[in-house]
Amino acid sequence: MTSAATTVGSSVYLKIKSDIITGALTPGKKLKLDALKVQYSASVSTLRETLNRLASDGFVDAPEQRGFLVRTMSNEDLIELSNLRVLLECAALKASLAFGDEEWEGNLVSAHHKLAMIGKKIIAGQGVPPERQLHYDWEFHFALVRACNSRHMISVFQNIYEKYIGYQLVLRNYRWAKALEEQQMIFEAALARDSEAATELLKSHLRKSLSFSLAAS
């Protein structure tokens, strides 16, 4: 495959994945190649390759003889994703606290500051698009674990995070005031390199987020 073709394929992949995560492509929707060709200005061969990649990454279902469908959602799936987040993110955080240097610490401070600022705007009732809100949430959680010294763990964590956030974007349920309080405590424990406190606070934060989402589903 040429470099140009790879770039086009990657761009289409990211666009479709983003539309799945944000709910622009609704859960269970059949992904017809002719319609997608027009919507994403891509060739059928590029789209087929993209959908197979999305199916491999778990964003698209490909039931036998039924083409491609946007992955369906369920409470059981949400619970499984949350449990995986707890396992992976807590393990990655522990490693990150052990390996993190001054650059990691500076990135974490910056990410938390931006999250806190956007949170204040949201709580004050200023119009902040949900996708932008959760972008800063991702930056904070990624900053916590980015020094874990395992690119495979980061890759799997990002995949699970994106699927989990998809539920929040579809359900349109957030609990910013409480979440920010919890993230402040996680941040302080992480800066203090208190691994036990930081991971327990993170686990509690994720569990409360799950309960809130389940109540809204």
Side-chain angles (χ1 to χ4, degrees), residues 117-133:
M117 291 301 98
I118 204 73
K120 288 179 181 178
K121 290 182 180 180
I122 294 164
I123 292 169
Q126 297 183 30
V128 180
E131 293 83 0
R132 185 160 176 252
Q133 296 176 20

Side-chain angles (χ1 to χ4, degrees), residues 85-95 199-200 202-203 206:
R85 271 197 76 182
V86 169
L87 287 172
L88 275 171
E89 201 168 340
C90 287
L93 176 57
K94 283 183 180 179
T199 52
E200 283 303 313
L202 176 60
K203 185 185 298 184
L206 296 176

